[in-house]
Amino acid sequence: MTTGDLAAAAREFAAAELTDHRYFDGLPDVPMPQSKALAQAGLANWWVPTEYGGAGVSLVSGVDIVSELSYGDAGFAFTSYLSILGATMLHLYGTDELRTRLLTELARGGGVCATLASEEAAGSELGRTGTTSTRRGGAVIVNGDKYFATNTDLAEFLVVVTRAAEDDLDYRTVVIPRDTPGIRVVRRWDVIGMRGSATYEVRLRNCRVPAENVLRGNGIRVLEAGLNASRILIATTSVGLARRVRDEAMAYAEHKVVKGAPLTENAVFAAKLGQIEMHVEVMRNQCLAAAAEFDRMMAGPDPAGEFLRAGSTRSALAAKMICGQSGWAVAGIGSELFGGLGYTHEHVIGKLTRELRWTSLVEGGDDVMRDLLYTRYVVPPAKRR
Amino acid sequence: MTTGDLAAAAREFAAAELTDHRYFDGLPDVPMPQSKALAQAGLANWWVPTEYGGAGVSLVSGVDIVSELSYGDAGFAFTSYLSILGATMLHLYGTDELRTRLLTELARGGGVCATLASEEAAGSELGRTGTTSTRRGGAVIVNGDKYFATNTDLAEFLVVVTRAAEDDLDYRTVVIPRDTPGIRVVRRWDVIGMRGSATYEVRLRNCRVPAENVLRGNGIRVLEAGLNASRILIATTSVGLARRVRDEAMAYAEHKVVKGAPLTENAVFAAKLGQIEMHVEVMRNQCLAAAAEFDRMMAGPDPAGEFLRAGSTRSALAAKMICGQSGWAVAGIGSELFGGLGYTHEHVIGKLTRELRWTSLVEGGDDVMRDLLYTRYVVPPAKRR
Amino acid sequence: MTTGDLAAAAREFAAAELTDHRYFDGLPDVPMPQSKALAQAGLANWWVPTEYGGAGVSLVSGVDIVSELSYGDAGFAFTSYLSILGATMLHLYGTDELRTRLLTELARGGGVCATLASEEAAGSELGRTGTTSTRRGGAVIVNGDKYFATNTDLAEFLVVVTRAAEDDLDYRTVVIPRDTPGIRVVRRWDVIGMRGSATYEVRLRNCRVPAENVLRGNGIRVLEAGLNASRILIATTSVGLARRVRDEAMAYAEHKVVKGAPLTENAVFAAKLGQIEMHVEVMRNQCLAAAAEFDRMMAGPDPAGEFLRAGSTRSALAAKMICGQSGWAVAGIGSELFGGLGYTHEHVIGKLTRELRWTSLVEGGDDVMRDLLYTRYVVPPAKRR
Amino acid sequence: MTTGDLAAAAREFAAAELTDHRYFDGLPDVPMPQSKALAQAGLANWWVPTEYGGAGVSLVSGVDIVSELSYGDAGFAFTSYLSILGATMLHLYGTDELRTRLLTELARGGGVCATLASEEAAGSELGRTGTTSTRRGGAVIVNGDKYFATNTDLAEFLVVVTRAAEDDLDYRTVVIPRDTPGIRVVRRWDVIGMRGSATYEVRLRNCRVPAENVLRGNGIRVLEAGLNASRILIATTSVGLARRVRDEAMAYAEHKVVKGAPLTENAVFAAKLGQIEMHVEVMRNQCLAAAAEFDRMMAGPDPAGEFLRAGSTRSALAAKMICGQSGWAVAGIGSELFGGLGYTHEHVIGKLTRELRWTSLVEGGDDVMRDLLYTRYVVPPAKRR
């Protein structure tokens, strides 16, 4: 399928399978039947490289796929694309055997993997990671508690950020199959939005895996490499949500009469929708630009090395920020458009508003983004552009 | 009790009775047991004039009472003060017998009244009211459907905005006892916040009341008179909510370590809290100023006439706007402060954010407020100040 | 004159004397002839207490006076009211002889005084003040350089914040008559707005005054006491400027045709003006509330002690912040309303925009305000309200 | 030269020739000597297609050229690129002879052309254009007054939007050599920023040109085609200005000590710069995306027809809007960073702030942009994406 075909398929899928906002807002059991349908539609794990039997769809093409799925249900979309985070790390820094085996499995089975990074005390300060990994002969043993870990319970394997027990300043990313003894899902979080996804608190006790399951490179930089992909798609989620707000507003306005005319003819309403359209356009282009930079780096001669050097890309940081901020602005405009009805669960706008909040919170809040942009791209004069 | 005593009592009441955010966020059955406790604490219907046996607390004093109750639970607070809307209309424009009887009852029993204005098609455009009142001998018969009507099911009486069947351009406000035949509560709305209050869709069929139950004056201006009081308290609700956000943030930050120090010592956090404190101070003072203007008009020689001439006061319109807008800004800052936990129902911030949205939506959205400010206070040069 | 009379007189004065925006925007020589006219109109130094022969107008009443003068020209207004800063310090912390002599002079002559606090390196961090005062017998000798000091060249006397040469941690505020040898005005700043006022860089070399000219109390706290008054009036300046933007917009819109109708009938324009009107109302009420708190403290049994304990009041800090921020929002809306003409010096809006920027910058930027609000009024739980 | 080379050359040129902010802010005489230097550096009219002997640099490449020049002086940059507006119209809709002759001239001589569209009464409502063109034999005679017309006095030729005298609903774009009798420059506007450019009020009286000088197609759509190019570069101007604000802030902060450390190490400052960096990145990418769409359309089989059908592109409208709005946000942040110095003409920030205002005002304000986005890209469901 071409890029356009994939986006059209995603749009069709969303319209057919994801329209029931009360179902997805109800914290449905996972895996949801829609996940299987997604795989059947050829839309699961579209980003797995062809070398593992995947479709090898570029991140640029993925932007519109994710936008369409998020238009239907952002939580479901999140569940469907988040594996790109762990898979990117595995692809870049895993041994040949490990990455081939696990990514081929993801491509074939349409399953998911989970990345376990955040902890209760450390929050998103990865330098304070308390989960440890200890080398013991040819094995590595992982112990710790992870706070917010999406998809864990349904994952094929976990990618876990740990501190090396032997060296406080060394971080290791360890791949742990889901059926490894010692993994306990403590609870599923009762999140306020994105309820079509499933995020867990997880306990790891003496989880033993072969030393080959440790990814190459400093664990935090390895994670940053993968975060570029997931942050761009998280940003894209807001594009889909904002488009949905726009279309819901138009659908409402066509039948709503204000001052004797359909709301669609009201100049103040038009100004608000024009502003929303601007945001949608700008958000999408920033996601596309960040995805293009990611694709370009991935297509280079040494992507693993380049990502270790670059860490978080400017464009991905900016994408998550603008989509979080502009998305929230769209939520602000949108959540005022539907009168009293918009303050009830009859209408989807309450859900969209909660979900547009999320982009600024997940995988590092805006304070973290600003800090990274400043220290990495403003302070060094050579990095400015 | 003095003003300070009342506010302190409200604070104490809130701390003792309103702290369980999951209870109030769960759409509890009404009347809630806390309503009775409120009356026992002497905090129910504090605004009923002394001539009816009420406490005759001024609106200025009411601001801090409502702020404290809203700090505890904004929905519960709303239920507790909203009767001021219908009661103000009744006090100013009812016959001596009617107002004395009903307001004495409110003062004594601590019950509530409901105002039925908005309709499905008309929204908040009162000029399009479809509910009719027909004079028939010494009676008036009311027919129509009202869309969002808080407190209806538990009210002692309803104050209903209607169009005169005999004259399309005349509006009548009619007082209808709750036990009048023909009133049917169609449903309680499943609102997205303020779930400690109860708002209903209501059907009125051939509700017959004596002609004395029609309030004096054009029904829309009569409603505007009362809206001054309720809009100021709705604005005040955001003051309480914003104060709660501030205090929740400080409670969280004291125990949260970021970059090796408590979050309370973080300069970026401090800047956000300083900004919130500014908003709280400004919102409160605007509510106080609007309340003072209301109290002043009410204490004048002809409040009924003055309110009919003035309609919506500038200060009340501005209070609702700034508290809606600044409250939403506080929600925007606050909802980013609590990390992942803030995106779960474990924490109260999600509820506070949804409730800070409400002030801009209820009793006329900001578009309506801006329109009123412009046409009433900007266009006529003499009204500018 | 009553409060209303004074405001009306100020309005009349502004209309008669301050309408020529190109004159005031041209960095006119000072003292301007309008200063004399202001004194003749009885509007100079209205705040001097009656005990010194002044009009003893309260700060609450002063708000509308300053708003009206600022409506005419904000720079001129600033020059006219800024003496309240030094005079408040002198009134509260000067010896009987000193304050009586100098404030009587201000009341009689309509002259000005200047406060010299900011320095090039220290900026608004007063703790880093480099200007020193050295006790030598019954005298004090002041040395240092002050960076931004309004009114210095035309002042009767200067109030100078210094560090005690004998104790690095002690600060002294010293009153220095303008004709004291050693005062040199280095330059008048070519400011980007408020050009109807005059701000100077000043050099002080061995300026010797009697020890009685040192004000009682820690110099920084003494300054903070006075800043309450001036910050409130600086905030008020934005009220006048915002009102001017509103009225200029209406004057323009009456004659401008857009889509076949006067711009005044355009719904999007109306929404913008409604928003501006809200800001004007809220800004004014915050200034009034802060002024009322100031007046209340001043009327208490021990204002000197109370201000030393309180330092910057919450209401004054919030007033400066909201008027800076909302004023800037009004500038943002206003500066887009006048088409291409608004981007030329033909129209006053460019000047108003530059001047609406000023309130957030002068006497401590918003970062300083937020910091003070946080440390003084948020961190101590007992200070929250 | 490659794209990167051109951008580097522009950066070098800006550093060498455009650093003196007081010169450019002083409304310098035109043509400025720097214009000749620009041509010598090979940076004049880079966009002229190769078929006319130009460099044929794409608009995508032009984005960084314009950003660099605007970093130096936005007004000068504007003068240097604005000819793209008239030239695009001429290229697409002029006769072979006319376009070849005039565009070859622009490529060779480095001169400019001017587009005359706005009028005093009509503002940017082109439908109300009062300037007429009358066919008289093989000639066309133009009469009217144009209000804001940049570069007119120094132009080789003018492209004038007129109403057909014979048909009120038909608009004609007419090319008029600058030396045609009847052109009178009434005045140069004393603009509040962008003073390195020259904008004029112009009177056209019986300007007679051959009928071949009328461009093909409806005059308003023809203008819209050209506006796509100029609006994208106007947007880009804000990218350069915002980058300049960032770098000025860093230069200042390196030497400014706050709380005992360089301001560059201050967390609140860092957060502001991180936010600015995000804006810069997003603005630039939107300009690039809009430029890419323009280049794509221009490279298609029938650009003249496609632009007539498309009119204003969504991406160009959004680019001007986001760069106007985000640029203004950057101005808001930036203009608070420099303390008192930033409020004087010593520092460039005042100029940058005034110039960041401009993008939202020129070639259609944001109200016009929102209106176009709404009616063209939101109302028709098929146009949404």
Side-chain angles (χ1 to χ4, degrees):
Chain A
M1 286 198 279
T2 69
T3 295
D5 289 346
L6 282 163
R11 176 181 294 222
E12 214 169 287
F13 177 85
E17 303 282 347
L18 307 178
T19 50
D20 180 2
H21 77 264
R22 290 192 230 198
Y23 170 77
F24 289 98
D25 212 18
L27 213 65
D29 286 340
V30 287
M32 290 174 277
Q34 290 80 0
S35 295
K36 183 165 283 183
L38 187 79
Q40 284 162 350
L43 289 164
N45 301 342
W46 42 265
W47 36 266
V48 178
T50 50
E51 60 192 283
Y52 312 113
V57 174
S58 69
L59 205 54
V60 162
S61 297
V63 162
D64 283 336
I65 299 172
V66 167
S67 172
E68 293 294 353
L69 294 178
S70 302
Y71 184 101
D73 183 72
F76 178 81
F78 181 46
T79 280
S80 82
Y81 67 68
L82 181 59
S83 302
I84 200 173
L85 167 53
T88 297
M89 294 189 261
L90 179 57
H91 168 62
L92 289 174
Y93 306 108
T95 64
D96 282 358
E97 189 280 327
L98 190 73
R99 62 193 177 104
T100 301
R101 176 159 49 85
L102 294 177
L103 292 176
T104 301
E105 178 59 28
L106 280 192
R108 191 156 44 203
V112 300
C113 69
T115 302
L116 282 62
S118 89
E119 301 184 358
E120 182 171 7
S124 51
E125 277 190 282
L126 297 166
R128 294 175 60 212
T129 293
T131 298
T132 58
S133 59
T134 312
R135 289 197 179 273
R136 194 74 54 81
V140 155
I141 299 165
V142 173
N143 275 287
D145 297 278
K146 293 291 185 179
Y147 213 41
F148 292 106
T150 299
N151 279 352
T152 302
D153 204 28
L154 40 159
E156 311 281 335
F157 59 93
L158 318 182
V159 182
V160 184
V161 179
T162 71
R163 177 189 298 276
E166 305 82 19
D167 176 359
D168 239 35
L169 294 175
D170 192 22
Y171 298 89
R172 285 195 200 107
T173 311
V174 186
V175 175
I176 307 180
R178 174 68 182 91
D179 55 8
T180 305
I183 299 173
R184 188 158 81 76
V185 167
V186 177
R187 60 168 156 180
R188 177 174 175 183
W189 289 98
D190 186 10
V191 284
I192 69 171
M194 308 295 289
R195 292 165 70 84
S197 63
T199 297
Y200 304 92
E201 186 177 352
V202 182
R203 179 159 296 172
L204 303 163
R205 287 296 178 271
N206 295 315
C207 297
R208 173 185 296 260
V209 293
E212 288 71 30
N213 280 28
V214 175
L215 301 183
R216 273 192 316 278
N218 180 291
I220 290 179
R221 279 284 163 144
V222 166
L223 180 67
E224 276 194 63
L227 286 171
N228 288 316
S230 53
R231 281 178 179 152
I232 292 167
L233 296 184
I234 286 166
T236 302
T237 307
S238 282
V239 180
L241 286 164
R243 292 171 50 236
R244 178 76 177 273
V245 169
R246 174 195 65 195
D247 293 353
E248 293 287 341
M250 291 303 290
Y252 173 80
E254 277 158 25
H255 300 290
K256 175 75 186 172
V257 173
V258 171
K259 296 189 177 181
L263 186 53
T264 46
E265 296 173 17
N266 180 286
V268 174
F269 176 83
K272 292 178 182 178
L273 271 283
Q275 180 73 11
I276 288 177
E277 183 66 11
M278 183 276 283
H279 283 309
V280 168
E281 169 75 5
V282 170
M283 289 157 69
R284 178 171 176 265
N285 280 320
Q286 179 60 29
C287 290
L288 287 170
E293 184 167 20
F294 181 89
D295 288 341
R296 213 154 44 228
M297 288 169 74
M298 205 55 114
D302 174 25
E306 194 179 354
F307 275 110
L308 280 192
R309 284 187 298 276
S312 300
T313 66
R314 172 179 6 221
S315 55
L317 296 171
K320 200 174 95 68
M321 274 179 78
I322 195 66
C323 290
Q325 294 180 18
S326 293
W328 189 239
V330 169
I333 301 168
S335 57
E336 291 193 81
L337 288 177
F338 302 93
L341 196 70
Y343 206 69
T344 73
H345 286 292
E346 301 283 306
H347 199 279
V348 72
I349 188 65
K351 174 175 182 283
L352 300 176
T353 300
R354 284 177 275 123
E355 295 183 344
L356 281 162
R357 173 73 298 185
W358 170 82
T359 295
S360 294
L361 301 178
V362 70
E363 291 195 354
D366 273 14
D367 289 337
V368 174
M369 300 296 108
R370 282 187 276 257
D371 206 44
L372 285 166
L373 281 176
Y374 180 69
T375 53
R376 306 266 179 95
Y377 296 103
V378 176
V379 170
K383 287 295 189 68
R384 294 183 207 158
R385 65 182 179 201
Chain B
M1 287 198 277
T2 70
T3 295
D5 290 345
L6 281 163
R11 177 180 294 221
E12 215 168 284
F13 178 85
E17 303 282 348
L18 308 179
T19 50
D20 180 2
H21 77 263
R22 291 192 229 197
Y23 170 77
F24 289 98
D25 212 18
L27 213 66
D29 286 340
V30 287
M32 291 175 277
Q34 290 80 358
S35 294
K36 184 166 284 183
L38 187 79
Q40 283 162 352
L43 290 163
N45 301 342
W46 43 265
W47 37 265
V48 178
T50 50
E51 59 192 284
Y52 312 113
V57 174
S58 70
L59 205 54
V60 162
S61 298
V63 162
D64 284 336
I65 299 172
V66 166
S67 172
E68 293 294 351
L69 294 178
S70 302
Y71 184 101
D73 183 72
F76 178 81
F78 181 46
T79 279
S80 83
Y81 67 68
L82 180 60
S83 303
I84 200 173
L85 167 53
T88 298
M89 295 189 261
L90 179 57
H91 167 61
L92 290 174
Y93 306 109
T95 64
D96 282 358
E97 189 280 328
L98 190 73
R99 63 193 176 106
T100 301
R101 176 159 49 87
L102 293 176
L103 293 175
T104 302
E105 179 59 27
L106 281 192
R108 191 158 42 207
V112 300
C113 68
T115 301
L116 282 62
S118 88
E119 301 184 359
E120 181 169 8
S124 51
E125 277 190 282
L126 298 166
R128 294 176 58 212
T129 293
T131 298
T132 58
S133 59
T134 312
R135 289 196 179 274
R136 194 74 53 81
V140 155
I141 299 165
V142 173
N143 276 286
D145 298 276
K146 292 293 183 177
Y147 213 41
F148 293 105
T150 299
N151 279 351
T152 301
D153 204 28
L154 41 158
E156 311 281 334
F157 59 93
L158 319 181
V159 182
V160 185
V161 178
T162 72
R163 177 189 298 276
E166 304 81 19
D167 176 0
D168 239 36
L169 295 175
D170 192 22
Y171 300 87
R172 282 193 203 111
T173 311
V174 186
V175 176
I176 307 180
R178 173 69 182 88
D179 55 7
T180 305
I183 300 173
R184 188 159 80 78
V185 167
V186 177
R187 60 168 155 178
R188 177 174 175 183
W189 289 99
D190 186 10
V191 284
I192 70 172
M194 307 296 289
R195 293 164 68 83
S197 63
T199 297
Y200 304 92
E201 186 177 351
V202 183
R203 179 157 299 172
L204 303 162
R205 288 293 177 273
N206 295 313
C207 297
R208 173 185 296 260
V209 293
E212 288 71 30
N213 281 27
V214 175
L215 301 184
R216 274 193 315 278
N218 179 292
I220 291 178
R221 279 284 162 141
V222 165
L223 180 66
E224 278 194 63
L227 286 171
N228 288 316
S230 53
R231 281 178 179 153
I232 292 167
L233 296 183
I234 285 166
T236 302
T237 306
S238 282
V239 180
L241 286 164
R243 292 171 51 233
R244 177 77 176 271
V245 170
R246 175 195 64 195
D247 292 354
E248 294 287 342
M250 291 303 290
Y252 173 81
E254 275 157 25
H255 301 289
K256 175 75 185 172
V257 172
V258 171
K259 297 189 176 180
L263 186 54
T264 46
E265 296 173 17
N266 181 286
V268 174
F269 176 83
K272 292 178 183 178
L273 271 283
Q275 180 74 12
I276 288 177
E277 183 66 11
M278 182 276 283
H279 283 309
V280 168
E281 169 75 5
V282 171
M283 289 157 71
R284 178 171 174 266
N285 279 321
Q286 179 60 29
C287 290
L288 287 171
E293 183 166 19
F294 181 89
D295 288 342
R296 216 157 38 230
M297 288 169 74
M298 205 55 113
D302 175 25
E306 195 178 352
F307 275 111
L308 280 191
R309 284 188 297 277
S312 301
T313 65
R314 171 179 9 218
S315 56
L317 296 171
K320 200 174 96 65
M321 276 179 77
I322 195 68
C323 291
Q325 294 180 17
S326 293
W328 189 238
V330 169
I333 301 168
S335 57
E336 292 193 81
L337 289 176
F338 302 94
L341 196 71
Y343 206 70
T344 73
H345 287 292
E346 301 283 306
H347 199 280
V348 72
I349 188 65
K351 174 176 182 282
L352 299 177
T353 300
R354 284 177 275 122
E355 296 183 344
L356 280 161
R357 174 73 298 186
W358 170 82
T359 295
S360 294
L361 301 177
V362 70
E363 292 195 354
D366 273 14
D367 289 338
V368 174
M369 300 295 108
R370 281 187 276 259
D371 205 45
L372 285 167
L373 280 177
Y374 180 68
T375 53
R376 305 269 179 94
Y377 295 104
V378 176
V379 170
K383 286 296 188 69
R384 295 182 206 158
R385 63 183 181 199
Chain C
M1 286 199 279
T2 69
T3 295
D5 289 344
L6 282 163
R11 176 180 294 220
E12 217 169 284
F13 177 85
E17 302 282 347
L18 307 178
T19 51
D20 180 2
H21 78 264
R22 290 191 230 198
Y23 170 77
F24 289 97
D25 211 18
L27 214 65
D29 286 339
V30 288
M32 291 175 276
Q34 291 79 0
S35 295
K36 184 165 284 184
L38 187 78
Q40 283 162 349
L43 290 163
N45 301 342
W46 42 266
W47 36 266
V48 178
T50 50
E51 59 193 286
Y52 311 113
V57 173
S58 70
L59 205 54
V60 162
S61 297
V63 163
D64 284 335
I65 298 172
V66 167
S67 172
E68 293 295 351
L69 294 178
S70 303
Y71 184 101
D73 182 71
F76 178 81
F78 181 46
T79 280
S80 81
Y81 67 68
L82 181 60
S83 303
I84 200 173
L85 167 53
T88 298
M89 294 189 262
L90 179 57
H91 168 61
L92 289 173
Y93 306 109
T95 64
D96 282 357
E97 189 280 327
L98 190 72
R99 63 194 176 105
T100 301
R101 176 160 48 87
L102 295 176
L103 293 175
T104 302
E105 178 60 27
L106 282 192
R108 194 159 38 205
V112 301
C113 69
T115 301
L116 282 63
S118 89
E119 300 184 0
E120 182 169 8
S124 51
E125 277 191 282
L126 297 166
R128 294 176 59 211
T129 293
T131 298
T132 58
S133 60
T134 313
R135 289 196 179 274
R136 193 74 52 81
V140 156
I141 298 165
V142 173
N143 276 286
D145 298 277
K146 293 292 184 178
Y147 214 40
F148 293 106
T150 299
N151 279 351
T152 302
D153 205 28
L154 42 158
E156 311 283 334
F157 59 93
L158 319 181
V159 182
V160 185
V161 178
T162 72
R163 178 190 298 275
E166 305 82 18
D167 176 359
D168 239 36
L169 295 174
D170 192 21
Y171 300 88
R172 284 195 201 106
T173 311
V174 185
V175 176
I176 307 179
R178 174 68 183 89
D179 55 8
T180 305
I183 300 173
R184 188 160 78 78
V185 167
V186 178
R187 61 168 153 177
R188 177 175 175 183
W189 289 99
D190 186 11
V191 284
I192 68 172
M194 307 297 289
R195 293 165 68 83
S197 62
T199 298
Y200 304 93
E201 187 176 354
V202 183
R203 179 157 300 172
L204 303 163
R205 287 295 177 272
N206 295 316
C207 296
R208 174 185 295 261
V209 294
E212 288 71 29
N213 280 26
V214 176
L215 302 183
R216 273 193 316 278
N218 180 289
I220 291 178
R221 279 285 163 143
V222 166
L223 180 66
E224 277 194 63
L227 286 170
N228 288 316
S230 53
R231 282 178 179 153
I232 292 167
L233 296 184
I234 286 166
T236 301
T237 307
S238 282
V239 179
L241 286 164
R243 291 171 51 235
R244 179 76 176 272
V245 170
R246 174 197 63 196
D247 292 353
E248 293 287 342
M250 291 303 291
Y252 173 80
E254 275 158 25
H255 300 289
K256 175 75 186 172
V257 172
V258 171
K259 296 189 176 180
L263 186 53
T264 46
E265 296 173 16
N266 181 287
V268 173
F269 176 84
K272 291 178 183 178
L273 269 284
Q275 181 73 11
I276 288 176
E277 182 67 10
M278 183 277 283
H279 283 309
V280 169
E281 168 75 5
V282 170
M283 289 157 70
R284 178 170 176 266
N285 280 320
Q286 180 60 28
C287 290
L288 288 171
E293 184 167 18
F294 181 89
D295 288 342
R296 215 157 39 231
M297 288 168 74
M298 205 54 114
D302 175 24
E306 194 178 354
F307 275 111
L308 280 190
R309 283 187 298 277
S312 301
T313 66
R314 171 180 5 220
S315 55
L317 296 170
K320 201 175 94 66
M321 276 180 75
I322 194 68
C323 290
Q325 295 180 18
S326 294
W328 189 238
V330 169
I333 300 168
S335 57
E336 292 192 80
L337 289 177
F338 302 93
L341 195 70
Y343 206 69
T344 74
H345 286 293
E346 300 283 307
H347 199 279
V348 73
I349 188 66
K351 174 175 182 284
L352 300 177
T353 300
R354 284 177 275 123
E355 296 183 343
L356 281 161
R357 173 72 299 184
W358 170 83
T359 295
S360 294
L361 302 177
V362 70
E363 293 196 355
D366 273 15
D367 289 338
V368 175
M369 300 295 108
R370 281 187 277 257
D371 207 44
L372 285 167
L373 280 176
Y374 180 69
T375 53
R376 305 268 179 95
Y377 296 103
V378 175
V379 170
K383 286 296 189 67
R384 296 182 207 157
R385 65 185 180 198
Chain D
M1 287 198 278
T2 69
T3 294
D5 290 345
L6 282 164
R11 177 181 296 221
E12 217 169 283
F13 177 85
E17 303 282 348
L18 307 179
T19 51
D20 181 1
H21 77 264
R22 289 190 232 199
Y23 170 77
F24 289 98
D25 211 18
L27 213 66
D29 285 340
V30 288
M32 292 174 277
Q34 290 80 358
S35 294
K36 183 166 284 185
L38 187 80
Q40 283 162 350
L43 289 163
N45 300 342
W46 42 266
W47 36 266
V48 178
T50 49
E51 60 192 285
Y52 311 113
V57 174
S58 70
L59 205 53
V60 162
S61 298
V63 162
D64 283 335
I65 299 173
V66 167
S67 172
E68 293 294 352
L69 294 178
S70 303
Y71 184 100
D73 183 71
F76 177 82
F78 181 46
T79 278
S80 83
Y81 67 67
L82 182 60
S83 303
I84 200 174
L85 167 55
T88 298
M89 294 189 263
L90 179 56
H91 168 60
L92 289 174
Y93 306 109
T95 65
D96 283 357
E97 189 281 326
L98 190 71
R99 63 194 177 105
T100 302
R101 175 160 49 86
L102 294 176
L103 293 175
T104 302
E105 178 59 27
L106 281 192
R108 191 159 37 205
V112 300
C113 69
T115 301
L116 282 63
S118 89
E119 301 184 359
E120 182 170 8
S124 51
E125 277 191 282
L126 298 166
R128 294 175 58 210
T129 293
T131 299
T132 57
S133 58
T134 313
R135 289 195 179 274
R136 193 75 52 83
V140 155
I141 300 165
V142 172
N143 276 288
D145 298 277
K146 293 291 185 179
Y147 214 41
F148 294 105
T150 299
N151 280 351
T152 301
D153 205 28
L154 41 159
E156 310 283 335
F157 60 93
L158 319 182
V159 182
V160 185
V161 178
T162 71
R163 178 190 298 275
E166 305 81 18
D167 175 0
D168 238 35
L169 296 175
D170 192 22
Y171 299 88
R172 285 195 200 108
T173 311
V174 185
V175 176
I176 307 180
R178 174 68 182 89
D179 54 10
T180 305
I183 299 173
R184 188 158 79 78
V185 167
V186 177
R187 61 168 155 178
R188 177 174 175 185
W189 289 98
D190 186 10
V191 283
I192 68 172
M194 307 296 289
R195 292 165 69 83
S197 63
T199 298
Y200 303 92
E201 187 176 352
V202 183
R203 179 158 299 173
L204 303 163
R205 288 294 178 271
N206 294 314
C207 297
R208 173 185 295 259
V209 293
E212 287 72 27
N213 281 28
V214 175
L215 301 183
R216 272 194 315 278
N218 179 291
I220 290 178
R221 279 285 163 143
V222 166
L223 180 66
E224 277 194 63
L227 286 171
N228 288 316
S230 53
R231 282 178 179 154
I232 291 167
L233 296 183
I234 286 167
T236 302
T237 307
S238 282
V239 180
L241 285 164
R243 291 171 51 236
R244 178 77 176 272
V245 171
R246 174 196 64 195
D247 292 354
E248 293 287 341
M250 291 303 289
Y252 173 81
E254 276 158 25
H255 300 289
K256 174 75 186 170
V257 173
V258 171
K259 296 188 176 181
L263 186 54
T264 46
E265 296 172 17
N266 181 287
V268 173
F269 176 83
K272 290 178 183 177
L273 270 285
Q275 181 74 11
I276 288 177
E277 182 68 10
M278 182 276 284
H279 283 309
V280 168
E281 168 76 6
V282 171
M283 288 157 70
R284 178 171 175 264
N285 280 320
Q286 179 61 29
C287 290
L288 288 170
E293 183 167 20
F294 181 89
D295 288 341
R296 214 156 41 230
M297 287 169 75
M298 205 54 114
D302 175 25
E306 195 177 355
F307 274 110
L308 280 191
R309 283 187 298 276
S312 301
T313 66
R314 171 178 8 219
S315 56
L317 296 170
K320 200 174 95 66
M321 275 179 78
I322 194 68
C323 290
Q325 294 181 17
S326 293
W328 189 237
V330 169
I333 300 168
S335 56
E336 291 193 81
L337 290 177
F338 302 93
L341 196 71
Y343 206 70
T344 74
H345 287 291
E346 301 283 306
H347 199 279
V348 72
I349 188 65
K351 174 175 182 281
L352 300 177
T353 301
R354 283 177 276 123
E355 296 183 344
L356 280 161
R357 174 73 297 185
W358 170 83
T359 295
S360 294
L361 301 177
V362 70
E363 292 196 356
D366 273 16
D367 290 338
V368 174
M369 299 295 108
R370 280 186 277 258
D371 206 44
L372 284 167
L373 280 176
Y374 180 69
T375 53
R376 305 267 179 95
Y377 296 103
V378 175
V379 170
K383 287 294 188 69
R384 295 183 207 158
R385 65 184 180 200

